Amino acid sequence: MVEKQITDNSDAAASSTEKPANFIEEIINGHLSSGRFGQRVHTRFPPEPNGYLHIGHAKSIALNFSLAAKYGGLCNLRFDDTNPSKEEAEYVHSIKDDIKWLGFDWEDREYYASDYFEQLFDWAVKLIKAGHAYVCDLSPEETRTYRGTLSEPGKNSPFRDRSVAENLDLFQRMRQGEFPDGTRVLKAKIDMAHPNFNMRDPVMYRILHAHHHRTGNDWCIYPMYDFTHGQSDSIEEITQSICTLEFENHRPLYDWFCDKLDIHHPQQIEFARLNLTYTVMSKRKFLTLVNEGYVNGWDDPRMPTISGLRRRGYTPESIRKFCEYIGVAKHNSVVDVTILENQIREHLNAIAPRVMTVLRPLKVVIENYPEGQVEELQAINNPEDESAGSRALPFTRELYIDQNDFMEVPVRRYFRLAPGKEVRLRYGYIIKCESVIKSDSGEIVELRCTYDPDTLGKQPTDRKVKGVIHWVSVGHAVDAEIRIYDRLFTTERPDKIAEGQDFRSNINPDSLEIIEHAKAEPSLAKVQSGERFQFERVGYFSVDSDSTVDKPVFNRIASLRDTWAKIAKKS
Ligand code: ATP
Ligand code: MG
């Protein structure tokens, strides 16, 4: 199927205030008017605790919780924990943390599919008794060949016509642990010639002598996801079971189980999963990135996991707005990651205090400024928010500016500092570069400048000075570590790869640059982990949890503008 790419169109979004009902809301409206579930709307978010949540899950979380809120209904959190070999309590904790951080609340409705194991077992027995399920001794390999292909029907298992009594006996003994892993399964007796593969006698239970993170060693048979998910929704009296498109052709099977068991029957509704450019979106691939050391853990700020985005400095508001903006669709698409980046820029532009930090310091000595003098210059904290007030910046004879803001031989239309040229210091004076001091190896180590005392807060009338650069006072600067993150992959669709390669071949080797000795203004001496700032002219940054009292560490959340778009336009 052709996937279309969704790009940013914020202006259009901003002008339409009241969004029309999306297709899921239309279905819910239909249920409310027909009274199918009375006037109830009850959704759930059903993660499998086998990894950390990612931005794709955020879409599902936002959708389920927001729909419940919109209709005055409820949304459960349910862990679909049917696979003991891949699931861990660590993941349960992280999932709960992430959902709370996103701003959603399941109140006391925290459920586990494993809590339903006994009920599911009883239902399996009920299906056996009604002749709808049988114990099958085919090996996994044989089961595959018996299933047939897309063009050919499957074959009935030789064990399909076992008597109810024999099936009941074998199923009980499977539970008692009499048989080794993989020797027998319980299957639903449906139709081996069904055009939908999922209906060709699917496996309901398998033998697995494995420890489960909640039920311990109580069980050595485990229900398959397909025999658990729909019934769990039913037990919780979910009204709309919202899931991603891959489950569309599982729906007939879930419906079949609900019908045969004669239990509450939710309506499954499928929507397109979120894909983003420049990243992959699967727990399995993230696990590879973590285990093989491409990133420093699940919460590495380059990861599109919720914990990674949080550590990077994303706000929950920006992620919720992103989810709302992209909406829901019935066809798979790939969303331009710029849309996400623009959401955080927009939010931080409104709330982040402005500060000055020089990433690559170059020392400037102002020769006509008195030694030892400290002047307090007033700087506005946030031009977008008057209530944020202002702060004092110490101005002295010795300053740092960024190496990028000086060119010994300036290119055309270079408005920053150059020999004999003038530039304005942000919130301060106009300075002029008088001479350049170099080391023996020819490296520029210091600039000697003069300042014009008449230019504080006003433009000179006799000349035009266009450039404004940021700076910090040498004697007051705070030493800081800056981590500049870039995209984790070099291509828009890292999943699209040549024969014999995999997504790892598209990893960006330069996705992290560490600047160890940046110089920050003194107001950043006592920052708290998680605080966010705009470094003027540089970008948005957050304080990393690695920060110490002696040295703050900042993560770049986003550049001020979409620099990748600029690169794309140029080339
Ligand atoms: P992954 O493929 O990353 O392992 P998953 O689908 O196996 O994810 P689950 O824990 O089963 O992960 O997912 C929980 C819920 O989140 C499901 O309802 C699933 O449909 C939804 N979900 C998972 N990935 C996405 C996505 N990319 N976009 C939207 N919803 C998603
Ligand atoms: Mg899954």
Side-chain angles (χ1 to χ4, degrees):
M1 199 201 286
V2 182
E3 288 186 345
K4 75 175 191 262
Q5 185 165 323
I6 298 171
T7 46
D8 206 349
N9 192 12
S10 327
D11 296 345
S15 61
S16 66
T17 39
E18 190 61 31
K19 276 193 177 175
N22 63 43
F23 79 95
I24 299 179
E25 290 165 352
E26 275 170 12
I27 295 172
I28 296 177
N29 293 340
H31 291 157
L32 291 174
S33 53
S34 74
R36 174 164 166 193
F37 303 109
Q39 292 306 297
R40 284 191 317 119
V41 172
H42 200 150
T43 58
R44 83 291 177 258
F45 174 65
E48 181 182 351
N50 63 347
Y52 283 59
L53 297 181
H54 51 62
I55 180 88
H57 294 113
K59 175 175 176 174
S60 175
I61 293 166
L63 180 62
N64 279 295
F65 280 94
S66 305
L67 281 173
K70 177 167 181 172
Y71 287 95
L74 299 170
C75 181
N76 296 356
L77 168 61
R78 182 177 67 246
F79 290 97
D80 260 331
D81 53 352
T82 52
N83 188 353
S85 52
K86 287 190 183 156
E87 294 159 4
E88 288 171 32
E90 175 199 345
Y91 298 136
V92 170
H93 294 304
S94 74
I95 288 170
K96 284 164 47 173
D97 263 7
D98 287 348
I99 301 173
K100 275 188 211 143
W101 177 79
L102 278 174
F104 297 105
D105 186 2
W106 58 91
E107 298 171 317
D108 58 351
R109 295 179 308 283
E110 176 180 329
Y111 302 119
Y112 294 81
S114 55
D115 291 343
Y116 309 141
F117 280 174
E118 200 61 55
Q119 172 69 78
L120 291 168
F121 182 84
D122 290 347
W123 277 337
V125 168
K126 183 173 172 181
L127 291 179
I128 294 173
K129 286 182 176 163
H132 295 312
Y134 63 98
V135 173
C136 181
D137 305 354
L138 291 178
S139 70
E141 186 54 48
E142 288 165 330
T143 290
R144 251 189 307 279
T145 48
Y146 271 73
R147 190 166 290 153
T149 64
L150 280 176
S151 50
E152 273 173 63
K155 275 194 306 190
N156 283 353
S157 159
F159 305 99
R160 201 171 197 261
D161 295 317
R162 274 179 164 147
S163 69
V164 168
E166 189 183 1
N167 281 321
L168 284 175
D169 173 61
L170 285 171
F171 190 48
Q172 283 293 351
R173 285 162 62 196
M174 279 168 65
R175 178 177 184 171
Q176 252 102 65
E178 263 187 52
F179 312 119
D181 288 4
T183 51
R184 290 194 157 90
V185 294
L186 183 73
K187 286 180 179 171
K189 195 191 261 189
I190 309 181
D191 179 2
M192 288 307 288
H194 202 286
N196 183 341
F197 259 51
N198 296 306
M199 302 297 274
R200 294 186 187 174
D201 290 11
V203 175
M204 293 162 58
Y205 268 88
R206 65 220 154 117
I207 303 173
L208 207 61
H209 293 263
H211 182 90
H212 185 279
H213 74 110
R214 282 177 65 87
T215 57
N217 296 324
D218 289 354
W219 293 87
C220 61
I221 56 171
Y222 287 95
M224 300 300 288
Y225 182 82
D226 277 353
F227 186 64
T228 311
H229 186 73
Q231 289 93 304
S232 302
D233 283 346
S234 179
I235 292 169
E236 292 172 21
E237 300 203 312
I238 299 304
T239 52
Q240 289 81 20
S241 300
I242 300 167
C243 62
T244 42
L245 288 175
E246 342 49 295
F247 292 100
E248 190 165 9
N249 52 22
H250 294 241
R251 176 161 27 104
L253 177 58
Y254 300 165
D255 289 345
W256 189 88
F257 283 133
C258 283
D259 288 343
K260 296 291 180 244
L261 292 168
D262 196 21
I263 54 179
H264 166 77
H265 201 142
Q267 175 66 54
Q268 176 171 307
I269 306 169
E270 304 87 12
F271 72 100
R273 54 193 291 127
L274 169 67
N275 296 300
L276 270 186
T277 55
Y278 293 100
T279 191
V280 292
M281 195 75 82
S282 123
K283 284 182 275 192
R284 192 173 49 78
K285 287 179 180 147
F286 295 143
L287 197 60
T288 305
L289 292 174
V290 171
N291 288 344
E292 296 181 8
Y294 290 105
V295 293
N296 303 313
W298 286 96
D299 70 343
D300 185 298
R302 288 165 292 184
M303 291 273 270
T305 50
I306 311 278
S307 50
L309 291 164
R310 169 168 55 189
R311 182 158 178 195
R312 175 84 167 246
Y314 272 75
T315 58
E317 291 88 337
S318 66
I319 296 176
R320 292 202 305 262
K321 270 193 87 175
F322 167 74
C323 294
E324 194 184 318
Y325 176 74
I326 56 174
V328 286
K330 277 192 251 195
H331 298 289
N332 279 320
S333 63
V334 184
V335 172
D336 187 339
V337 69
T338 317
I339 298 178
L340 177 63
E341 294 165 349
N342 284 342
Q343 288 295 347
I344 187 64
R345 284 192 186 99
E346 201 177 295
H347 191 210
L348 293 179
N349 181 48
I351 63 162
R354 274 57 168 171
V355 293
M356 293 205 280
T357 296
V358 171
L359 299 199
R360 293 172 188 80
L362 171 60
K363 193 171 165 185
V364 165
V365 176
I366 302 174
E367 291 176 319
N368 60 339
Y369 197 85
E371 246 170 277
Q373 181 169 312
V374 181
E375 207 173 329
E376 302 223 306
L377 304 180
Q378 282 305 303
I380 292 165
N381 287 334
N382 187 349
E384 303 285 320
D385 175 9
E386 230 176 274
S387 70
S390 65
R391 69 192 183 287
L393 285 175
F395 182 81
T396 57
R397 181 180 154 90
E398 296 193 349
L399 311 172
Y400 290 120
I401 65 165
D402 199 287
Q403 289 166 17
N404 288 336
D405 287 331
F406 175 77
M407 271 187 110
E408 195 174 14
V409 184
V411 294
R412 227 168 64 84
R413 298 183 58 78
Y414 186 77
F415 297 119
R416 290 166 276 167
L417 204 55
K421 291 276 189 318
E422 285 185 309
V423 78
R424 177 176 293 279
L425 296 174
R426 180 84 164 135
Y427 300 116
Y429 301 96
I430 287 174
I431 60 168
K432 181 178 181 183
C433 177
E434 305 290 349
S435 62
V436 180
I437 298 177
K438 293 185 180 179
S439 68
D440 292 345
S441 58
E443 211 187 326
I444 299 171
V445 289
E446 189 179 303
L447 304 178
R448 307 296 286 195
C449 297
T450 51
Y451 86 116
D452 180 344
D454 280 338
T455 54
L456 186 62
K458 57 179 188 225
Q459 286 292 348
T461 48
D462 54 343
R463 61 204 197 273
K464 233 190 174 125
V465 178
K466 278 194 181 167
V468 181
I469 65 172
H470 60 287
W471 54 276
V472 295
S473 160
V474 170
H476 299 83
V478 175
D479 208 34
E481 177 177 320
I482 313 280
R483 299 177 182 168
I484 305 282
Y485 297 103
D486 204 341
R487 289 173 183 167
L488 197 46
F489 294 93
T490 51
T491 55
E492 272 196 4
R493 306 293 309 276
D495 273 328
K496 293 223 159 112
I497 28 101
E499 271 289 298
Q501 294 189 320
D502 75 8
F503 74 103
R504 285 171 291 194
S505 50
N506 290 320
I507 288 177
N508 177 6
D510 303 315
S511 59
L512 170 59
E513 181 195 356
I514 297 179
I515 298 171
E516 283 187 61
H517 297 287
K519 301 292 177 185
E521 67 166 67
S523 73
L524 295 181
K526 285 193 181 65
V527 285
Q528 301 286 323
S529 167
E531 277 187 86
R532 306 175 181 91
F533 299 95
Q534 183 196 97
F535 290 179
E536 292 211 37
R537 301 181 60 235
V538 182
Y540 293 103
F541 289 80
S542 70
V543 182
D544 191 80
S545 48
D546 283 348
S547 293
T548 61
V549 186
D550 298 327
K551 191 167 188 177
V553 176
F554 293 95
N555 297 319
R556 185 173 76 180
I557 310 169
S559 54
L560 288 180
R561 271 168 294 278
D562 178 10
T563 48
W564 281 58
K566 233 190 287 171
I567 294 166
K569 258 183 217 152
K570 265 191 214 153
S571 56

